[in-house]
Short mmCIF file of all heavy atoms in Angstrom, two decimals:
data_model
loop_
_atom_site.label_atom_id
_atom_site.label_comp_id
_atom_site.label_asym_id
_atom_site.label_seq_id
_atom_site.Cartn_x
_atom_site.Cartn_y
_atom_site.Cartn_z
N LEU A 1 -29.75 18.05 -29.08
CA LEU A 1 -28.84 18.72 -28.17
C LEU A 1 -27.68 17.81 -27.82
O LEU A 1 -26.52 18.25 -27.75
CB LEU A 1 -29.59 19.12 -26.89
CG LEU A 1 -30.68 20.18 -27.08
CD1 LEU A 1 -31.39 20.46 -25.77
CD2 LEU A 1 -30.11 21.47 -27.66
N ILE A 2 -27.95 16.51 -27.63
CA ILE A 2 -26.88 15.54 -27.39
C ILE A 2 -25.92 15.51 -28.57
O ILE A 2 -24.68 15.48 -28.40
CB ILE A 2 -27.47 14.15 -27.10
CG1 ILE A 2 -28.16 14.13 -25.74
CG2 ILE A 2 -26.38 13.07 -27.17
CD1 ILE A 2 -28.95 12.84 -25.47
N GLN A 3 -26.47 15.56 -29.78
CA GLN A 3 -25.63 15.54 -30.98
C GLN A 3 -24.75 16.77 -31.06
O GLN A 3 -23.55 16.68 -31.42
CB GLN A 3 -26.51 15.45 -32.23
CG GLN A 3 -25.74 15.21 -33.53
CD GLN A 3 -26.67 14.97 -34.71
OE1 GLN A 3 -27.89 14.83 -34.54
NE2 GLN A 3 -26.11 14.96 -35.90
N LEU A 4 -25.29 17.93 -30.71
CA LEU A 4 -24.47 19.16 -30.72
C LEU A 4 -23.29 19.05 -29.77
O LEU A 4 -22.18 19.48 -30.09
CB LEU A 4 -25.35 20.34 -30.31
CG LEU A 4 -26.38 20.84 -31.32
CD1 LEU A 4 -27.29 21.89 -30.68
CD2 LEU A 4 -25.72 21.43 -32.55
N VAL A 5 -23.54 18.43 -28.60
CA VAL A 5 -22.47 18.28 -27.59
C VAL A 5 -21.46 17.23 -28.04
O VAL A 5 -20.24 17.48 -28.04
CB VAL A 5 -23.08 17.94 -26.23
CG1 VAL A 5 -21.97 17.61 -25.23
CG2 VAL A 5 -23.93 19.07 -25.71
N GLN A 6 -21.95 16.06 -28.39
CA GLN A 6 -21.06 14.94 -28.70
C GLN A 6 -20.21 15.18 -29.93
O GLN A 6 -19.06 14.71 -30.02
CB GLN A 6 -21.86 13.66 -28.86
CG GLN A 6 -22.48 13.18 -27.55
CD GLN A 6 -23.26 11.90 -27.69
OE1 GLN A 6 -23.61 11.47 -28.80
NE2 GLN A 6 -23.56 11.24 -26.58
N GLU A 7 -20.73 15.95 -30.90
CA GLU A 7 -19.98 16.22 -32.12
C GLU A 7 -19.15 17.50 -32.04
O GLU A 7 -18.51 17.88 -33.02
CB GLU A 7 -20.93 16.28 -33.31
CG GLU A 7 -21.61 14.94 -33.61
CD GLU A 7 -22.53 14.99 -34.83
OE1 GLU A 7 -22.58 16.06 -35.48
OE2 GLU A 7 -23.18 13.97 -35.11
N GLY A 8 -19.15 18.15 -30.89
CA GLY A 8 -18.27 19.30 -30.67
C GLY A 8 -18.71 20.57 -31.35
O GLY A 8 -17.88 21.48 -31.55
N HIS A 9 -19.98 20.72 -31.65
CA HIS A 9 -20.46 21.97 -32.27
C HIS A 9 -20.56 23.09 -31.24
O HIS A 9 -20.65 24.26 -31.62
CB HIS A 9 -21.82 21.75 -32.92
CG HIS A 9 -21.78 20.71 -33.99
ND1 HIS A 9 -21.17 20.89 -35.22
CD2 HIS A 9 -22.32 19.45 -34.05
CE1 HIS A 9 -21.32 19.81 -35.96
NE2 HIS A 9 -22.00 18.91 -35.26
N VAL A 10 -20.58 22.73 -29.97
CA VAL A 10 -20.65 23.70 -28.86
C VAL A 10 -19.61 23.28 -27.81
O VAL A 10 -19.02 22.19 -27.89
CB VAL A 10 -22.05 23.76 -28.23
CG1 VAL A 10 -23.05 24.35 -29.22
CG2 VAL A 10 -22.49 22.37 -27.78
N ARG A 11 -19.42 24.14 -26.83
CA ARG A 11 -18.41 23.88 -25.79
C ARG A 11 -18.83 22.76 -24.82
O ARG A 11 -17.99 22.20 -24.12
CB ARG A 11 -18.16 25.15 -24.98
CG ARG A 11 -17.47 26.27 -25.75
CD ARG A 11 -17.39 27.53 -24.90
NE ARG A 11 -16.73 28.64 -25.62
CZ ARG A 11 -15.45 28.92 -25.50
NH1 ARG A 11 -14.67 28.18 -24.73
NH2 ARG A 11 -14.93 29.92 -26.15
N GLY A 12 -20.10 22.48 -24.77
CA GLY A 12 -20.60 21.47 -23.84
C GLY A 12 -22.06 21.76 -23.53
O GLY A 12 -22.70 22.65 -24.10
N TRP A 13 -22.61 21.01 -22.56
CA TRP A 13 -24.02 21.19 -22.19
C TRP A 13 -24.29 22.58 -21.68
O TRP A 13 -25.41 23.11 -21.82
CB TRP A 13 -24.41 20.15 -21.14
CG TRP A 13 -24.67 18.79 -21.68
CD1 TRP A 13 -23.84 17.70 -21.59
CD2 TRP A 13 -25.82 18.32 -22.37
NE1 TRP A 13 -24.40 16.60 -22.18
CE2 TRP A 13 -25.64 16.97 -22.68
CE3 TRP A 13 -27.00 18.93 -22.77
CZ2 TRP A 13 -26.58 16.21 -23.36
CZ3 TRP A 13 -27.96 18.19 -23.47
CH2 TRP A 13 -27.74 16.84 -23.75
N ASP A 14 -23.29 23.21 -21.04
CA ASP A 14 -23.52 24.54 -20.46
C ASP A 14 -22.95 25.65 -21.34
O ASP A 14 -22.72 26.76 -20.88
CB ASP A 14 -22.94 24.63 -19.04
CG ASP A 14 -21.42 24.51 -19.01
OD1 ASP A 14 -20.83 24.13 -20.06
OD2 ASP A 14 -20.82 24.81 -17.96
N ASP A 15 -22.73 25.34 -22.61
CA ASP A 15 -22.33 26.39 -23.55
C ASP A 15 -23.42 27.48 -23.52
O ASP A 15 -24.61 27.16 -23.61
CB ASP A 15 -22.18 25.80 -24.96
CG ASP A 15 -21.64 26.80 -25.96
OD1 ASP A 15 -22.27 27.85 -26.17
OD2 ASP A 15 -20.58 26.51 -26.56
N PRO A 16 -23.05 28.75 -23.42
CA PRO A 16 -24.06 29.81 -23.35
C PRO A 16 -24.95 29.92 -24.59
O PRO A 16 -25.99 30.60 -24.53
CB PRO A 16 -23.22 31.10 -23.19
CG PRO A 16 -21.96 30.62 -22.53
CD PRO A 16 -21.69 29.27 -23.15
N ARG A 17 -24.60 29.26 -25.67
CA ARG A 17 -25.49 29.25 -26.85
C ARG A 17 -26.53 28.15 -26.75
O ARG A 17 -27.51 28.17 -27.52
CB ARG A 17 -24.66 29.02 -28.12
CG ARG A 17 -23.72 30.15 -28.48
CD ARG A 17 -22.71 29.73 -29.53
NE ARG A 17 -21.78 28.74 -29.00
CZ ARG A 17 -20.78 28.20 -29.69
NH1 ARG A 17 -20.65 28.51 -30.96
NH2 ARG A 17 -19.97 27.33 -29.12
N MET A 18 -26.34 27.22 -25.84
CA MET A 18 -27.27 26.11 -25.72
C MET A 18 -28.55 26.55 -24.97
O MET A 18 -28.47 27.32 -24.03
CB MET A 18 -26.60 24.96 -24.97
CG MET A 18 -25.54 24.23 -25.76
SD MET A 18 -26.24 23.06 -26.95
CE MET A 18 -26.55 21.66 -25.86
N PRO A 19 -29.71 26.01 -25.38
CA PRO A 19 -30.96 26.34 -24.68
C PRO A 19 -31.17 25.51 -23.43
O PRO A 19 -32.31 25.35 -22.97
CB PRO A 19 -32.01 26.05 -25.73
CG PRO A 19 -31.45 24.89 -26.51
CD PRO A 19 -29.97 25.15 -26.55
N THR A 20 -30.09 24.92 -22.89
CA THR A 20 -30.18 24.20 -21.64
C THR A 20 -30.24 25.18 -20.47
O THR A 20 -29.78 26.32 -20.58
CB THR A 20 -28.96 23.28 -21.45
OG1 THR A 20 -27.77 24.07 -21.56
CG2 THR A 20 -28.92 22.18 -22.53
N LEU A 21 -30.82 24.73 -19.35
CA LEU A 21 -30.87 25.63 -18.20
C LEU A 21 -29.47 25.93 -17.69
O LEU A 21 -29.21 27.05 -17.23
CB LEU A 21 -31.72 25.00 -17.09
CG LEU A 21 -33.19 24.77 -17.48
CD1 LEU A 21 -33.99 24.37 -16.23
CD2 LEU A 21 -33.80 25.98 -18.14
N SER A 22 -28.55 24.96 -17.78
CA SER A 22 -27.19 25.24 -17.37
C SER A 22 -26.51 26.20 -18.34
O SER A 22 -25.67 27.01 -17.95
CB SER A 22 -26.37 23.94 -17.29
OG SER A 22 -26.42 23.22 -18.50
N GLY A 23 -26.92 26.15 -19.61
CA GLY A 23 -26.36 27.08 -20.61
C GLY A 23 -26.83 28.50 -20.39
O GLY A 23 -26.02 29.44 -20.42
N VAL A 24 -28.14 28.69 -20.19
CA VAL A 24 -28.63 30.07 -19.99
C VAL A 24 -28.20 30.60 -18.63
O VAL A 24 -28.04 31.82 -18.46
CB VAL A 24 -30.16 30.14 -20.18
CG1 VAL A 24 -30.55 29.73 -21.57
CG2 VAL A 24 -30.91 29.32 -19.14
N ARG A 25 -28.02 29.72 -17.65
CA ARG A 25 -27.50 30.18 -16.34
C ARG A 25 -26.07 30.68 -16.52
O ARG A 25 -25.71 31.74 -16.00
CB ARG A 25 -27.55 29.02 -15.34
CG ARG A 25 -27.01 29.41 -13.98
CD ARG A 25 -27.40 28.40 -12.91
NE ARG A 25 -26.81 27.09 -13.10
CZ ARG A 25 -27.50 25.98 -13.39
NH1 ARG A 25 -28.81 26.09 -13.60
NH2 ARG A 25 -26.91 24.84 -13.53
N ARG A 26 -25.24 29.94 -17.27
CA ARG A 26 -23.88 30.39 -17.51
C ARG A 26 -23.85 31.69 -18.32
O ARG A 26 -22.97 32.53 -18.15
CB ARG A 26 -23.10 29.29 -18.25
CG ARG A 26 -21.64 29.64 -18.50
CD ARG A 26 -20.91 28.46 -19.11
NE ARG A 26 -19.52 28.78 -19.40
CZ ARG A 26 -18.64 27.93 -19.93
NH1 ARG A 26 -19.03 26.70 -20.25
NH2 ARG A 26 -17.39 28.30 -20.16
N ARG A 27 -24.83 31.86 -19.19
CA ARG A 27 -24.91 33.07 -20.00
C ARG A 27 -25.32 34.28 -19.17
O ARG A 27 -25.10 35.42 -19.58
CB ARG A 27 -25.91 32.86 -21.14
CG ARG A 27 -25.94 34.00 -22.15
CD ARG A 27 -26.54 33.55 -23.44
NE ARG A 27 -26.65 34.63 -24.39
CZ ARG A 27 -26.87 34.45 -25.70
NH1 ARG A 27 -27.01 33.24 -26.18
NH2 ARG A 27 -26.98 35.48 -26.50
N GLY A 28 -25.91 34.04 -18.00
CA GLY A 28 -26.29 35.14 -17.12
C GLY A 28 -27.76 35.39 -17.04
O GLY A 28 -28.19 36.39 -16.43
N PHE A 29 -28.61 34.52 -17.60
CA PHE A 29 -30.06 34.71 -17.50
C PHE A 29 -30.45 34.52 -16.03
O PHE A 29 -30.10 33.50 -15.42
CB PHE A 29 -30.81 33.68 -18.33
CG PHE A 29 -30.80 33.93 -19.81
CD1 PHE A 29 -29.83 34.76 -20.40
CD2 PHE A 29 -31.74 33.35 -20.63
CE1 PHE A 29 -29.82 35.00 -21.77
CE2 PHE A 29 -31.75 33.58 -22.00
CZ PHE A 29 -30.77 34.40 -22.56
N PRO A 30 -31.18 35.45 -15.43
CA PRO A 30 -31.66 35.26 -14.06
C PRO A 30 -32.86 34.31 -14.05
O PRO A 30 -33.68 34.33 -14.97
CB PRO A 30 -32.03 36.65 -13.61
CG PRO A 30 -32.35 37.40 -14.87
CD PRO A 30 -31.51 36.79 -15.95
N PRO A 31 -33.01 33.50 -13.03
CA PRO A 31 -34.14 32.56 -12.97
C PRO A 31 -35.48 33.29 -12.97
O PRO A 31 -36.47 32.77 -13.50
CB PRO A 31 -33.91 31.80 -11.66
CG PRO A 31 -32.99 32.64 -10.85
CD PRO A 31 -32.13 33.35 -11.83
N GLU A 32 -35.51 34.51 -12.39
CA GLU A 32 -36.77 35.27 -12.39
C GLU A 32 -37.23 35.55 -13.82
O GLU A 32 -38.44 35.61 -14.09
CB GLU A 32 -36.57 36.58 -11.63
CG GLU A 32 -36.20 36.43 -10.19
CD GLU A 32 -34.69 36.33 -9.98
OE1 GLU A 32 -33.95 36.19 -11.00
OE2 GLU A 32 -34.24 36.37 -8.82
N ALA A 33 -36.27 35.76 -14.73
CA ALA A 33 -36.63 36.05 -16.12
C ALA A 33 -37.27 34.84 -16.78
O ALA A 33 -38.21 34.97 -17.57
CB ALA A 33 -35.41 36.49 -16.89
N LEU A 34 -36.78 33.65 -16.47
CA LEU A 34 -37.37 32.43 -17.04
C LEU A 34 -38.75 32.20 -16.50
O LEU A 34 -39.66 31.79 -17.26
CB LEU A 34 -36.47 31.22 -16.79
CG LEU A 34 -35.48 30.89 -17.92
CD1 LEU A 34 -34.44 32.00 -18.05
CD2 LEU A 34 -34.79 29.56 -17.66
N ARG A 35 -38.94 32.44 -15.22
CA ARG A 35 -40.28 32.28 -14.65
C ARG A 35 -41.25 33.29 -15.27
O ARG A 35 -42.41 32.95 -15.57
CB ARG A 35 -40.22 32.43 -13.12
CG ARG A 35 -39.39 31.37 -12.41
CD ARG A 35 -39.74 31.27 -10.94
NE ARG A 35 -39.47 32.50 -10.22
CZ ARG A 35 -38.32 32.81 -9.61
NH1 ARG A 35 -37.33 31.93 -9.64
NH2 ARG A 35 -38.18 33.94 -8.95
N GLU A 36 -40.79 34.51 -15.45
CA GLU A 36 -41.64 35.50 -16.11
C GLU A 36 -41.96 35.13 -17.55
O GLU A 36 -43.09 35.29 -18.01
CB GLU A 36 -40.93 36.88 -16.07
CG GLU A 36 -41.63 38.00 -16.83
CD GLU A 36 -42.99 38.38 -16.24
OE1 GLU A 36 -43.26 38.04 -15.07
OE2 GLU A 36 -43.78 39.03 -16.98
#
C-alpha cells in the first residue's frame, strides 16, 4: 500500500480505490457496513 501511494499509482492513502479505512470512508462506505 505504501508503494502504491509513493509511486503515484493512486491519489493518496485516502484514494477511494484503496482498501484503507480512510479510502473506503471517502468512497462512502458507512462504518456500520464494515462492522456487519
Side-chain angles (χ1 to χ4, degrees):
L1 296 177
I2 289 172
Q3 189 174 350
L4 288 171
V5 173
Q6 292 181 344
E7 295 181 4
H9 300 290
V10 292
R11 292 175 180 265
W13 282 104
D14 66 348
D15 186 300
R17 293 166 292 180
M18 288 281 278
T20 54
L21 298 190
S22 56
V24 299
R25 180 165 65 248
R26 182 175 179 181
R27 188 160 176 164
F29 285 20
E32 299 87 351
L34 266 66
R35 296 199 299 268
E36 174 65 18

